[in-house]
Amino acid sequence: MKAKRDLPSKICAHCGRPFTWRKKWRRDWEVVRYCSERCRNETRRARN
């Protein structure tokens, strides 16, 4: 098991905060852009 500090991280496309890898994202980590469903939904609302 890896320590949390050793996991990959990204910056959220909406809020700009860093977030780390999660097990549920293991298959599609390359396409994950948002740290949460809330940020993803807020981005969609802002477009409309």
Side-chain angles (χ1 to χ4, degrees):
M1 193 180 224
K2 289 186 175 184
K4 189 167 184 171
R5 68 179 179 270
D6 297 334
L7 296 173
S9 64
K10 292 185 179 184
I11 304 296
C12 179
H14 179 71
C15 67
R17 294 180 182 170
F19 62 98
T20 56
W21 182 89
R22 294 182 188 172
K23 189 175 181 179
K24 68 179 183 178
W25 292 333
R26 71 177 163 241
R27 288 187 212 147
D28 57 338
W29 175 246
E30 300 302 319
V31 297
V32 173
R33 295 181 56 205
Y34 305 105
C35 63
S36 64
E37 287 292 318
R38 182 178 181 180
C39 280
R40 190 171 63 89
N41 291 334
E42 289 292 323
T43 301
R44 286 182 179 176
R45 282 189 204 144
R47 288 182 193 166
N48 293 334

